[in-house]
Amino acid sequence: MIDWNAYRQQLGTTITEIARTSPDVMKGYRTLATAKTAESSLDAKTRELISLAVAVTLRCDGCITTHVELARKNGATKEEITDALSVAISVNAGAALVYSARTIDAFHEAEEQAKG
């Protein structure tokens, strides 16, 4: 089992190292990360819940540990996080279904080409 607190701390250390080596990359990242937060029509908790759903979809452990902590600090409950995750599960299942259909389409096209 992963120690999420230790992992979050490790990420902080390593990201600081990256920032020292590539300060412009970190500046760009920070610009993206904070671009809409000040004037957002979404509150911080909602943004963090969305971030968690996206993190699960992208399979990003660093994103998960960071946004769990931020969601919790912004008042998200376990139930709200679970609801956000259920959206990620649903969308991922839907995406798998869509790509399954694309696979069948590719198969049909390959069959047609093989017939000549």
Side-chain angles (χ1 to χ4, degrees):
M1 178 97 144
I2 191 167
D3 180 340
W4 292 101
N5 292 324
Y7 181 57
R8 192 170 47 257
Q9 290 173 356
Q10 174 196 344
L11 279 175
T13 300
T14 307
I15 289 170
T16 298
E17 181 182 342
I18 293 168
R20 275 191 235 112
T21 305
S22 301
D24 288 341
V25 169
M26 286 307 298
K27 181 180 177 186
Y29 171 76
R30 285 188 186 111
T31 299
L32 285 171
T34 60
K36 188 75 172 133
T37 57
E39 58 194 52
S40 178
S41 58
L42 297 174
D43 63 28
K45 179 172 75 171
T46 301
R47 284 193 312 274
E48 293 307 326
L49 293 170
I50 292 168
S51 295
L52 284 170
V54 172
V56 166
T57 299
L58 294 174
R59 297 172 182 89
C60 176
D61 285 341
C63 300
I64 290 169
T65 190
T66 299
H67 293 290
V68 159
E69 186 63 15
L70 290 169
R72 198 183 58 70
K73 285 182 178 177
N74 282 289
T77 65
K78 184 179 93 173
E79 291 75 18
E80 289 170 321
I81 290 171
T82 302
D83 282 350
L85 298 178
S86 70
V87 173
I89 292 165
S90 174
V91 170
N92 281 304
L97 180 59
V98 168
Y99 272 84
S100 295
R102 289 172 59 98
T103 302
I104 297 301
D105 290 341
F107 175 80
H108 290 312
E109 186 174 319
E111 276 193 327
E112 289 299 317
Q113 285 181 356
K115 288 179 187 176

